[in-house]
Amino acid sequence: MLRMLALFSLIAGLTVGCGTKGGAPATASVPPVTQSTLRTYFAGVVSGGYGGPGNFSDSSVLATYTIDDTAKTFAQFTYAFSHTQDGPQMNYSGGFTTLARGLLNFGITYSHGTYGLSYSGNTGPFSYDPPKGGNYAIELAGQGGGLVQLQGMPFVPLVAAASCPDFKSAEIFQFVTIPGSYGSNTAPSVAIWNPDTQTAYGKVSIGTGGSTVKFSGIQQFLSSGTQVATYADLSGDPPAITSLNGVCSPTFYGNTISAPNPLTITNPGANETISPGAIVGIGPGGFLLENNGSFAGNAANNTTGSNKNATYQPFLGAGTGAIGLPQPSSPVDVSSLTGAQYLGVVYGSGTSDAIWSSSIASFGFSTMPSACQSLPPQNGTMVYGGDFPGNNPADPAVQANGGYGNCDFAVDLGSQDSSNNGLFPQATVWVGSGFAGNTTGRTYSFPAVAIAGQMNEKFAVFLIGVDKTGSPNQAWGLYLLQSN
């Protein structure tokens, strides 16, 4: 416990704000973010278990990641009040190397329980020599956030909630839902996302006043573009939330915002506090992360009918939360956006906590490979990429090629919304026949919505789509951070 508290006491005091410059300036100007050699990130929850209904992965509970550039080490702490854990626990640690294009390659040398299995029945701790590989992290420019992909688990988004937001004037953010399992599965370890009734994307104005964080002008939309007027999946069909206040305060996760109810639960034994409602973090540069609940089992709204049992009403994304960024103050330069190179994650939410996929992705190429010819041709709004051979970006052949992956996936952003800079409401995703998650044996497409902009002078693209062609039918999320 003392070791963990020492790590948290070293969180850098970064300034919260919104990035500027380039073809997609944000709504506010902030000074450059100072890089830190030691940083701690709050990790949100993403639905998915290890191998069956009721099994939780380390993506299913709240966590923090500490990364130390000087020692080249990392540590993950989880925070749960179920299974065999009661409060905070260092779950994994190890070292890392930096691969081409800034991708961090984590090697796990310690785990509290057996690596790659559910909590149930685990005993430990365990050490590993050689380290367990296949684990990666991508950091946002300015260290305001990022993504982690541990082998065999769904990805998790990270935010450096190092300080409470302090905006001189309200800032507008756009967001997309991080989808839960698609359909009506009621397994307790998954948060269900139904695109016909639940939020896919939206926007919000965020203002601050002391410890109070004001969320106003909230607009939520279905994937079809229809604005959410009521929460049809909650008992009584309550009206959609358009404004509410949250409270920002120091927690084990950093300076996070509790909303809509600043309710705190204390575990006297571990002297830990958690919030059963939504937890929001805003990192330097404006990276926005909303986590819908303390773990996936009580996350967001849960199916329909007699199962309308959400513990609160979601006010940004549905599913297991939302990921967002500042809305640009002018239209995004699409040519610059599609011409950049990215690292990120392709996430298929599946139809239960046992059927999902999550893999490191590379998009954009310095030179377009011939493999892209199997996908629709460039039309000015296309960006090409995909997974890595064998889901292994650390492969020497990949690294010798500059760290670029396959070309078996493409996104046609389509037209930028004339009223909302950085919103692409009619995007199309093309899944190539060679993509590992494609079970059809042919190239096919599905509709999606994307948001894009800049944070600390680098582009980010976040997308949510609904795939009713592949097997299983599912939601796809694509989360890209510029790497060049």
Side-chain angles (χ1 to χ4, degrees):
M1 183 69 178
L2 291 176
R3 176 169 48 179
M4 185 198 70
L5 293 175
L7 285 171
F8 274 92
S9 69
L10 293 173
I11 296 175
L14 303 177
T15 301
V16 175
C18 303
T20 63
K21 190 178 178 180
T27 54
S29 176
V30 296
V33 177
T34 301
Q35 298 289 106
S36 173
T37 59
L38 177 66
R39 51 211 174 273
T40 297
Y41 295 105
F42 168 47
V45 164
V46 174
S47 176
Y50 283 115
N55 284 347
F56 286 77
S57 75
D58 299 313
S59 297
S60 303
V61 293
L62 293 179
T64 59
Y65 281 82
T66 298
I67 300 175
D68 187 336
D69 283 338
T70 301
K72 297 294 183 182
T73 59
F74 76 95
Q76 181 220 61
F77 289 87
T78 55
Y79 302 79
F81 286 85
S82 56
H83 323 297
T84 60
Q85 178 180 331
D86 186 20
Q89 170 182 286
M90 188 167 77
N91 209 44
Y92 297 124
S93 64
F96 70 87
T97 58
T98 303
L99 303 177
R101 303 168 62 199
L103 183 65
L104 302 185
N105 184 15
F106 285 175
I108 293 176
T109 58
Y110 165 91
S111 68
H112 178 78
T114 306
Y115 173 64
L117 298 177
S118 66
Y119 286 97
S120 178
N122 284 352
T123 58
F126 296 92
S127 60
Y128 306 99
D129 186 15
K132 295 287 187 179
N135 313 290
Y136 303 98
I138 305 157
E139 291 188 282
L140 186 71
Q143 301 173 340
L147 310 164
V148 165
Q149 173 69 71
L150 297 186
Q151 188 176 45
M153 306 177 206
F155 88 103
V156 291
L158 309 176
V159 63
S163 60
C164 290
D166 183 16
F167 301 138
K168 293 181 180 179
S169 59
E171 304 291 342
I172 298 175
F173 288 76
Q174 297 188 128
F175 58 86
V176 295
T177 283
I178 301 172
S181 179
Y182 176 84
S184 58
N185 186 296
T186 58
S189 62
V190 296
I192 308 304
W193 183 69
N194 185 337
D196 297 326
T197 60
Q198 294 178 318
T199 300
Y201 68 99
K203 64 188 296 186
V204 58
S205 176
I206 302 178
T208 59
S211 62
T212 300
V213 180
K214 304 175 182 179
F215 300 90
S216 61
I218 301 171
Q219 298 179 36
Q220 298 171 295
F221 297 89
L222 304 178
S223 57
S224 64
T226 301
Q227 187 165 353
V228 176
T230 65
Y231 297 127
D233 51 339
L234 295 182
S235 179
D237 294 343
I241 294 172
T242 58
S243 64
L244 80 163
N245 289 346
V247 174
C248 186
S249 61
T251 68
F252 276 112
Y253 320 121
N255 287 277
T256 54
I257 304 159
S258 177
N261 299 312
L263 174 65
T264 296
I265 296 175
T266 300
N267 172 11
N271 193 29
E272 182 196 9
T273 60
I274 65 168
S275 170
I279 301 174
V280 179
I282 302 177
F287 186 82
L288 172 70
L289 172 62
E290 179 205 31
N291 180 83
N292 280 346
S294 60
F295 62 92
N298 67 2
N301 31 343
N302 217 356
T303 72
T304 57
S306 62
N307 293 306
K308 293 183 177 184
N309 58 358
T311 56
Y312 62 92
Q313 298 174 5
F315 74 101
L316 294 181
T320 53
I323 188 171
L325 71 168
Q327 183 181 55
S329 58
S330 62
V332 173
D333 183 338
V334 177
S335 177
S336 297
L337 181 70
T338 59
Q341 284 87 59
Y342 301 89
L343 288 172
V345 169
V346 177
Y347 172 62
S349 70
T351 54
S352 75
D353 61 354
I355 307 173
W356 49 266
S357 61
S358 187
S359 59
I360 293 293
S362 167
F363 274 72
F365 297 92
S366 55
T367 301
M368 192 74 75
S370 59
C372 295
Q373 294 176 2
S374 63
L375 296 164
Q378 178 62 262
N379 61 6
T381 58
M382 298 278 289
V383 57
Y384 298 87
D387 53 4
F388 285 88
N391 199 23
N392 182 17
D395 184 274
V398 171
Q399 291 300 298
N401 190 39
Y404 294 95
N406 296 321
C407 189
D408 52 19
F409 208 93
V411 176
D412 184 348
L413 292 170
S415 299
Q416 189 169 184
D417 190 272
S418 60
S419 301
N420 293 281
N421 300 327
L423 173 65
F424 297 85
Q426 296 181 326
T428 302
V429 174
W430 293 87
V431 183
S433 59
F435 180 66
N438 187 346
T439 60
T440 69
R442 59 182 175 84
T443 297
Y444 70 93
S445 66
F446 58 84
V449 175
I451 59 173
Q454 285 188 322
M455 293 179 284
N456 294 326
E457 304 180 7
K458 296 291 186 180
F459 284 115
V461 180
F462 304 142
L463 175 148
I464 184 169
V466 181
D467 180 357
K468 296 184 179 181
T469 300
S471 178
N473 291 174
Q474 62 184 317
W476 287 92
L478 180 63
Y479 314 98
L480 302 179
L481 304 176
Q482 186 177 353
S483 61
N484 64 324

